[in-house]
Amino acid sequence: MRFGITSKLFLAILATCIAVAIAMGIAVRWSFESGFESYVREREERRADMLSDVLADIYQESGDWRALRAEPRRWARILRSMPDPNAVPPGPHTGPGPGPGPRPGPPPRYTPPPPFYLVDTDGTLVAGEPLGRQDAASPRYPVDVGGQTVGWLVVQPRGQAPNALDERFLAQQLKATWIISGLSVVLAALVSVLLARGLLAPVRRLGRATQRLAAGDYATRVPGETRDELGQLARDFNHLALTLEKNERLRRDMVADVSHELRTPLAVLRGELEALQDGVRTLTPASLESLQAEVATLSKLIDDLYELSLADIGALSYRMTRVDVAGLLRAACGPYHDRLAAKGIGLSVDAPESVPAVMADPQRLTQLFNNVLENALRYTDADGLVQVRLRALAGHLTIDILDSAPGVPEHLLPRLFDRLFRAETSRNRERGGAGLGLAIVQRIVEAHRGTIQALPSNLGGVRIAITLPLAPVRTAPA
């Protein structure tokens, strides 16, 4: 028989409560019995002391025990007249009354005293009647007159003459103890059921949601309103589901985008080759150049995808050295002067020569600058402007590359670094590439422990803001 976690938790809580109830019942019973025995013994001792004082007065009046031996009924009267030592003694009346002065209090409470019998110093019975033969181990209390023991007051063994009232009270208390323990166990069972169900209900919901998530339902969510560990687990699950949903959407988009990017050059190549085979076109340097351009487009896309995959797994190689970013930036901007000018776009470069060096891979930084400038070339309208600025601030360098219109909606700016994302959704091959350049740029910046952001440009286009940490200052050898 297999038990679920609800049954196990219920049994664990119930077993713990039962064990606690039984232990408390046993402890209460032992404590009550020992305390009750001490109470009875102390009560008997106090009664014995009071009876010893009365017997001492009787002995002192006659000088011997003849008066008690001659009157057996006097012994019974003495026992009956002994008050309860725990009764409140009468005191003055302090409440309102007809006049000043003390008033008698309530009469003392009388209870049947434990049986006693009296023996003289020789052990001869004086008064009372022992139940059974005399036992030397029975409690004895001396009767002293003038500092001399004249007799012994012997207590009957409780096992031979139990006090019915005491025994009945003890039995009632023990019965009440076990009834309370039983009710505690029943209450513990009810509480265990409620706790087991209440604590495990969120876990069961989370388990069902996990099964749906594993089946591909990434829209699954679980409520996580509580602020305890289960609530935090639910919120973590929702975050995981959201991440998986986003990744699944990106995966589908990437597959669709890659297939679109590959389909276009392949379709052009197939059309060109079929035209050559059918004799529609002749093999000329121009047709070869067209084929070579489509092959180059495919090669560039595949190379970018490969580099991006290496960057994602951290396998892209970097050879870090101290780099003069200003010189590297000016060198990267050199070829773009003519290319931008051909579209009627101006290029402004502000890169002071006195900026500190950074620890970087020169080849990867050049790739970074080329990708950003290529992006500006493709998406800046004619008669526009591209500005490149380099500044050294506290502990880092900032590189800003700004272009003029057209801009990108502000809510789409963070997505410019997503792979295969292009703000120009028509994917016109004449206006841009596959949308991998800025994704690679982001990986390169992160590998250099820097940051990159896409922000609105004051020229009307997009501003790419790059921050790189400065290299440690070299210390001259002593």
Side-chain angles (χ1 to χ4, degrees), residues 258-281:
V258 169
S259 62
H260 182 277
E261 295 294 334
L262 291 174
R263 185 188 306 113
T264 302
L266 286 176
V268 173
L269 281 174
R270 183 171 60 249
E272 293 282 349
L273 291 175
E274 288 177 354
L276 290 174
Q277 289 177 342
D278 295 341
V280 177
R281 294 188 60 181

Side-chain angles (χ1 to χ4, degrees), residues 282-305:
T282 58
L283 186 61
T284 62
S287 60
L288 289 177
E289 184 178 354
S290 175
L291 294 174
Q292 183 65 31
E294 298 302 330
V295 171
T297 300
L298 282 174
S299 178
K300 179 67 168 56
L301 175 61
I302 293 172
D303 290 343
D304 286 347
L305 286 172

Side-chain angles (χ1 to χ4, degrees), residues 58-66:
I58 295 174
Y59 184 90
Q60 194 171 7
E61 290 176 359
S62 59
D64 55 21
W65 296 115
R66 284 180 296 177

Side-chain angles (χ1 to χ4, degrees), residues 124-136:
T124 304
L125 182 65
V126 175
E129 183 178 357
L131 302 176
R133 64 184 185 85
Q134 299 184 26
D135 190 356

Side-chain angles (χ1 to χ4, degrees), residues 216 218-219 221 241-257 415 418-420:
Y218 299 116
R221 300 292 184 272
L242 180 63
T243 302
L244 290 176
E245 184 180 17
K246 178 182 177 181
N247 290 340
E248 177 63 16
R249 184 174 61 253
L250 291 176
R251 184 191 66 81
R252 290 195 300 264
D253 292 345
M254 182 176 178
V255 171
D257 293 340
R415 295 198 58 195
D418 293 347
R419 64 192 68 188
L420 297 171

Side-chain angles (χ1 to χ4, degrees), residues 141-162:
Y141 300 95
V143 180
D144 296 333
V145 176
Q148 182 180 1
T149 301
V150 296
W152 294 93
L153 189 62
V154 184
V155 181
Q156 297 277 15
R158 288 182 57 81
Q160 296 178 359

